[in-house]
Amino acid sequence: MDMIKITMLLTILIYLIAMVAIGAVLAKNNQTTDDFYLGGRKLGPLVTAMSAEASDMSSWLLMGLPGVAYLTGTADAAWTAIGLALGTYVNWLVVAKRLRNYTHACSNSTTLPLFFSNRYRDERRILSVIAAVLIVIFFVPYTASGFAACGKLFANLFGMDYLPAMIVSAIVIVAYTTLGGFLAASMTDFVQSIVMTLAILVVFGFGISSVGSFDAVMDNAKSMAGYFSLTQIYDPASGSASPYGTLTIFSMLAWGLGYFGMPHVLLRFMAIGDVQKLKLSRRVASVWVVISMVVAVFIGVVGNAMSKAGVIPALDDPETIILVVADVISQNGFLAAVVAGLILAGILAATMSTADSQLLAASSSASQNILKEVFVKNMSEKTGMLVARLTVLVIAVIGMFIARDSDSSVFQIVSFAWAGFGASFGPLVLLALFWKRSTWQGALCGMVSGGVMVFVWKFLIRPMGGLLGIYELLPAFLLGLAVNVIVSLLTPEPSKEVQEEFDRVAAMK
């Protein structure tokens, strides 16, 4: 390994050590399982905003989104980004405050599944158990994809074997998450959002300068049929363009619907210390999301121009574009190698900031909403903390087992998990917060039907193509919403206690 690679590796190692140190420092704040899983509802507005968005974006921001834009042009990537930007803003505007108030009013619910059962007075905990199972189903492979992305990074750049590289990366994530819990995940996510931002800005700026000018980038994009269009999509195999239909546009905009059901994002809403600071959090989060996704899409466009100009080779795997650019940057001396190391740390940051939140959400579902609420109801706090940490380890081991196979697409894995959460929990969260007539039977049927439809549409209906070849989140979300409403109207209205609680929360300022 030459000095350039060693410098980059040392930069990344210092970054990883810093993340574990944050976890160790914050470990003393975890006196109860509520502290471990929700940080005692003490997050500040900036940490709330940036940790929510960092945990949301994952390696998809730095690998999946630029990769799609590099290969097929702006349509797919741009409409997805627009949907996510709109979803981010509306989620903060409409859901954040009501969810924070309602979860606190409902017996201080510290997890999303627990809120569902408390909201509907589901004493048998049917809602929380099924919600917990769905979280584990969709989060474990999602977490595994994050581990895999870290392993690929080290394997591709430093000539390491993929498997040990992936395992070491996972151990770092598990270490600070197990030590510091939710507070550590949130604080490290805040730091990692800054690193991610620096990474995409440096890559973007270097890419433009390496091909001469922004005009050169645009000339390259316009030279390919439909590449820089929102109504056409470029086919790299034939060099031609095909129409990007209105229905497809709406299905990609539907990515924004997923935000209403993302447990790791919703937990940040639940954890903020001062409800009145949510307005500031909303503004910070919305601005960051718009800027970061616009830059990420253009990194793909710039990367295509860099390939055509011979600055970087043509990419067999478009999702490695930032890795390749970082390698080119590193060839310009010691300082450039440090900068390249920080760029790679940005990719790790994007991956780790999501994986830690997913680990916590999946482990809280398994330990709190299944084990403690169903099987060991009188568990002590000391035992609960031990179980919480052990569950993180178990979930991580399962994720590492799945991640042993490195052949996967970040974009495809994320899109499927996103659809799963959006369709299962999105309609349920909205109706639980804003419709007093919603019943537990409607909530249950809507949640299950939305989750099942994701699988049905993805594997049975979507392959038929044509009008049916749309992103599975849109039809599954609409079905889950319709089923919840219909079943709620066909079943007895909620108790007076439930309705009065709804009115109290709705009246909160």
Side-chain angles (χ1 to χ4, degrees):
M1 188 180 296
D2 58 28
M3 283 304 299
I4 290 176
K5 299 291 187 185
I6 292 173
T7 302
M8 294 166 64
L9 184 58
L10 286 175
T11 303
I12 294 172
L13 288 177
I14 291 171
Y15 169 77
L16 294 177
I17 291 170
M19 295 302 101
V20 176
I22 291 174
V25 170
L26 294 175
K28 65 179 183 296
N29 293 291
N30 293 313
Q31 303 301 317
T32 68
T33 52
D34 288 354
D35 292 334
F36 188 78
Y37 286 126
L38 204 58
R41 298 186 192 264
K42 294 180 291 189
L43 291 192
L46 293 181
V47 175
T48 299
M50 298 306 290
S51 66
E53 301 316 316
S55 67
D56 154 36
M57 286 301 167
S58 74
S59 54
W60 175 85
L61 177 67
L62 298 186
M63 297 178 74
L65 194 60
V68 169
Y70 173 96
L71 190 64
T72 62
T74 55
D76 239 2
W79 284 116
T80 301
I82 291 169
L84 289 173
L86 291 172
T88 296
Y89 181 78
V90 174
N91 202 28
W92 280 96
L93 180 66
V94 175
V95 172
K97 185 176 181 179
R98 180 69 68 91
L99 183 64
R100 170 61 172 81
N101 288 334
Y102 218 147
T103 54
H104 191 266
C106 276
S107 304
N108 193 30
S109 304
T110 54
T111 67
L112 196 61
L114 183 57
F115 168 63
F116 294 151
S117 281
N118 288 343
R119 157 70 172 82
Y120 292 101
R121 301 303 189 271
D122 170 28
E123 301 296 336
R124 292 174 293 176
R125 296 295 191 245
I126 296 173
L127 287 173
S128 61
V129 169
I130 292 179
V133 170
L134 288 171
I135 286 175
V136 172
I137 287 173
F138 288 114
F139 260 158
V140 170
Y142 202 159
T143 304
S145 73
F147 292 164
C150 292
K152 288 179 184 179
L153 185 151
F154 287 107
N156 290 341
L157 284 172
F158 303 112
M160 300 177 179
D161 290 336
Y162 165 77
L163 188 59
M166 180 273 293
I167 292 174
V168 169
S169 303
I171 288 173
V172 171
I173 298 171
V174 171
Y176 72 74
T177 304
T178 304
L179 286 169
F182 183 82
L183 275 179
S186 298
M187 288 302 298
T188 54
D189 288 354
F190 175 68
V191 174
Q192 288 167 167
S193 68
I194 297 172
V195 177
M196 290 161 61
T197 303
L198 293 174
I200 59 176
L201 291 176
V202 169
V203 170
F204 180 65
F206 175 81
I208 291 176
S209 65
S210 68
V211 297
S213 66
F214 188 72
D215 288 339
V217 172
M218 296 304 297
D219 289 341
N220 175 72
K222 292 174 182 177
S223 70
M224 294 173 283
Y227 188 87
F228 200 70
S229 169
L230 294 180
T231 57
Q232 291 180 302
I233 189 166
Y234 175 69
D235 180 2
S238 65
S240 61
S242 56
Y244 202 78
T246 302
L247 187 58
T248 305
I249 289 173
F250 276 105
S251 76
M252 299 313 290
L253 287 173
W255 273 78
L257 296 174
Y259 274 110
F260 303 126
M262 291 299 124
H264 52 305
V265 176
L266 298 175
L267 277 174
R268 265 62 181 190
F269 299 163
M270 295 162 60
I272 192 168
D274 185 351
V275 178
Q276 303 307 318
K277 297 293 179 63
L278 279 170
K279 182 181 291 187
L280 174 60
S281 298
R282 181 180 74 237
R283 290 170 178 170
V284 171
S286 300
V287 169
W288 185 83
V289 163
V290 170
I291 293 174
S292 63
M293 287 195 297
V294 168
V295 174
V297 171
F298 269 97
I299 284 175
V301 177
V302 172
N304 191 288
M306 293 173 73
S307 292
K308 298 291 177 57
V311 179
I312 61 174
L315 302 179
D316 294 327
D317 182 359
E319 291 185 348
T320 63
I321 180 172
I322 291 185
L323 301 181
V324 175
V325 173
D327 191 45
V328 173
I329 292 174
S330 71
Q331 307 302 315
N332 295 292
F334 172 78
L335 185 58
V338 173
V339 171
L342 288 174
I343 292 171
L344 300 179
I347 297 177
L348 279 178
T351 302
M352 293 166 63
S353 60
T354 301
D356 55 23
S357 299
Q358 292 164 347
L359 276 174
L360 280 173
S363 65
S364 67
S365 297
S367 64
Q368 296 293 99
N369 304 124
I370 297 177
L371 182 61
K372 185 175 180 179
E373 292 181 26
V374 178
F375 297 106
V376 191
K377 296 184 178 181
N378 297 319
M379 187 183 299
S380 67
E381 282 296 342
K382 183 177 180 180
T383 302
M385 284 296 298
L386 178 61
V387 169
R389 290 188 162 106
L390 287 176
T391 308
V392 170
L393 292 175
V394 172
I395 296 293
V397 169
I398 296 172
M400 284 187 274
F401 178 78
I402 296 172
R404 73 191 190 282
D405 180 9
S406 62
D407 296 329
S408 60
S409 165
V410 172
F411 191 87
Q412 293 302 320
I413 292 176
V414 171
S415 69
F416 180 68
W418 190 268
F421 286 123
S424 299
F425 299 148
L428 174 52
V429 168
L430 291 175
L431 293 177
L433 295 179
F434 297 102
W435 191 36
K436 184 162 61 174
R437 184 62 177 79
S438 178
T439 67
W440 77 265
Q441 296 97 328
L444 176 62
C445 293
M447 177 170 57
V448 172
S449 61
V452 170
M453 178 54 75
V454 169
F455 286 91
V456 172
W457 198 278
K458 169 75 173 179
F459 297 107
L460 298 180
I461 299 177
R462 191 174 179 180
M464 297 178 186
L467 294 177
L468 299 176
I470 61 174
Y471 182 33
E472 54 271 16
L473 173 54
L474 181 58
F477 184 97
L478 293 176
L479 177 67
L481 183 66
V483 169
N484 193 325
V485 171
I486 292 170
V487 174
S488 292
L489 292 174
L490 293 176
T491 50
E493 67 178 29
S495 67
K496 182 179 179 182
E497 177 189 5
V498 170
Q499 295 191 51
E500 288 178 346
E501 181 180 72
F502 180 94
D503 290 334
R504 285 197 303 273
V505 173
M508 290 181 181
K509 301 297 183 182

